[in-house]
Amino acid sequence: MSQRDRSELRTARRWVVKVGSALLTADGRRLDHGVIHGLVQQLVKLRERGCEVVLVSSGAVAAGVVRLGFDERPGDLHSLQAAAAVGQSALIRSYEEALAPQGITPALVLLSHADIRARDRYLNARGTLGRLLELGVIPVVNENDSVVTDEIRFGDNDTLAALVANLVDAEVLLVLTDRDGLYRGNPDSDPDAVLVPSAEVDDARLDQMVSGGGRFGRGGMITKLSAARLAARSGALTVIANGRAPDVVRRVASGEEVGTLLSTQRRPQSARKQWLASLLHEHGSLVLDDGAAAMLATGGKSLLPIGVTSVTGDFVRGDLVACVDAGGRQVARGLVNYSAAEARKLVGLASHLIPEVLGYGGDAEIIHCDNMVSL
Ligand code: GLU
């Protein structure tokens, strides 16, 4: 298998850029609008190269702590959640103000891990983010801290960023932090500590490195390494770099050796198909007419209601279903956009009639090609 390297960063199109609280705050508490402005300028330039950018940003808690007049970051979870709820509007406003002169709008998308792991919500979130990117908007994703506490407790959005990279099929996850990257040794105490320029993400020696050096706990290198491994599931390369370094986004995107590249052998497209293929439990099946069966067998095409002749089983939106030909042979499987009850109503129907039959507009496809694997 060929080694993937930094040259791929030059042609990568879809990026998830993650910025943590340590970077966005002036003193660990209030938002540093100068840093946000500088970051936004860099993301705009990345877009000018033809890239699509989803930003995963922390900073709500830090902003909220100031607004609520707390002297320091509170220790209890509900106060942190309250601070996040108060601070989120300040955070998105800061992005809005920085993007306004460029004529670009940010969109606030609050997600939880469960939203991405449950496949019905996965389809919805994926659809929304995809549409936002088509519309030229920069989605700013944060954890929905009012209702979940995963990132407040452990990750400072590292894991969320990786899940978003899986969700949008990003080619690159760029984790911007207040460190230059991943070190062999602890740069705080060991003058001989050396920056690791690149490594294979599954290399077991990395576990040793992150536990020996760098920050422990919330948002430290341990969570960044596991985020890189999660991102690799869908084939994304991860770069961990210092968000305070001048021009860091452009330098990473130009393939310069900055930060730490954590590479994976898995390619984005095939990794996604493998993941779909590994979802073992099929909840039902769609029987296809000959035309649709032939089309799906070759791959790359969505399944429309008009190609379906009957529906078996009981499933909900987001479940895995089999696509079988008239003889019962499975030709593909995928995540279905409609429940079994809805799908039964749509059998043989032209897609433009879906709103009339169901009483609401939905996806034109029963299974979108992105969510399907041919067998
Ligand atoms: N989602 C949180 C935020 O935006 C995570 C960071 C934290 O716990 O400080 O602030």
Side-chain angles (χ1 to χ4, degrees):
M1 229 181 281
S2 69
Q3 187 70 39
R4 298 180 64 189
D5 60 30
R6 285 184 187 263
S7 63
E8 282 191 37
L9 299 169
R10 292 203 288 266
T11 51
R13 190 159 167 267
R14 189 165 280 189
W15 292 61
V16 171
V17 179
K18 185 260 164 178
V19 279
S21 311
L23 196 61
L24 293 179
T25 53
D27 52 8
R29 289 171 73 234
R30 72 194 72 241
L31 289 178
D32 186 333
H33 297 284
V35 168
I36 290 180
H37 189 81
L39 170 73
V40 160
Q41 302 312 311
Q42 295 193 62
L43 298 184
V44 168
K45 285 200 187 123
L46 190 60
R47 281 170 38 120
E48 284 166 1
R49 296 168 65 114
C51 298
E52 295 173 319
V53 181
V54 176
L55 179 63
V56 176
S57 176
S58 303
V61 170
V65 162
V66 174
R67 282 201 170 176
L68 289 171
F70 295 154
D71 291 334
E72 55 187 29
R73 183 183 166 93
D76 71 289
L77 280 177
H78 291 321
S79 298
L80 288 167
Q81 290 179 284
V86 168
Q88 186 60 54
S89 57
L91 180 63
I92 196 70
R93 178 163 348 121
S94 189
Y95 282 115
E96 253 167 13
E97 284 170 5
L99 281 166
Q102 323 286 335
I104 298 172
T105 307
L108 173 61
V109 181
L110 295 178
L111 290 175
S112 71
H113 296 189
D115 292 330
I116 299 176
R117 290 192 164 120
R119 284 193 299 279
D120 54 341
R121 284 181 269 162
Y122 166 95
L123 287 179
N124 292 334
R126 186 179 155 83
T128 305
L129 287 169
R131 186 70 185 121
L132 286 168
L133 291 172
E134 276 171 15
L135 291 167
V137 169
I138 295 190
V140 179
V141 178
N142 197 355
E143 191 179 52
N144 194 355
D145 294 313
S146 309
V147 294
V148 284
T149 56
D150 306 73
E151 300 293 348
I152 281 184
R153 282 183 296 152
F154 304 117
D156 193 20
N157 284 353
D158 289 330
T159 312
L160 184 70
L163 292 172
V164 170
N166 293 152
L167 180 69
V168 301
D169 304 329
E171 287 139 281
V172 183
L173 169 61
L174 173 57
V175 179
L176 294 177
T177 179
D178 58 349
R179 295 283 165 135
D180 289 340
L182 211 151
Y183 278 85
R184 192 175 289 113
N186 184 346
D188 292 334
S189 55
D190 177 3
D192 296 328
V194 281
L195 183 73
V196 177
S198 64
E200 162 64 37
V201 75
D202 289 319
D203 188 334
R205 287 170 298 182
L206 292 172
D207 297 276
Q208 197 68 34
M209 281 182 222
V210 294
S211 60
R215 271 189 301 149
F216 286 92
R218 242 176 45 84
M221 283 299 163
I222 294 177
T223 60
K224 289 182 176 43
L225 175 59
S226 66
R229 286 178 174 157
L230 262 181
R233 286 191 316 189
S234 56
L237 299 169
T238 295
V239 178
I240 302 171
N242 192 333
R244 294 190 199 280
D247 221 9
V248 62
V249 177
R250 184 197 56 76
R251 293 176 60 209
V252 169
S254 305
E256 279 183 41
E257 200 172 277
V258 279
T260 301
L261 170 71
L262 294 171
S263 64
T264 171
Q265 299 296 345
R266 284 166 264 181
R267 303 257 158 201
Q269 242 356 67
S270 55
R272 182 170 168 70
K273 299 276 179 186
Q274 271 168 23
W275 173 72
L276 274 176
S278 73
L279 298 173
L280 287 178
H281 186 56
E282 285 155 5
H283 293 259
S285 46
L286 304 170
V287 184
L288 313 183
D289 66 20
D290 292 345
M295 212 170 62
L296 261 56
T298 55
K301 296 273 169 27
S302 295
L303 175 64
L304 303 177
I306 203 162
V308 179
T309 57
S310 65
V311 175
T312 63
D314 189 20
F315 47 84
V316 295
R317 174 173 161 83
D319 276 347
L320 184 71
V321 297
C323 302
V324 299
D325 66 14
R329 192 180 69 89
Q330 192 174 146
V331 292
R333 61 168 65 150
L335 305 183
V336 70
N337 279 333
Y338 291 97
S339 71
E342 290 168 326
R344 286 191 176 97
K345 292 184 194 160
L346 301 182
V347 161
L349 206 73
S351 294
H352 71 272
L353 296 172
I354 294 175
E356 201 175 301
V357 170
L358 295 183
Y360 45 86
D363 298 275
E365 314 83 14
I366 285 227
I367 303 178
H368 193 275
C369 60
D370 285 349
N371 300 319
M372 180 151 47
V373 56
S374 299
L375 299 172

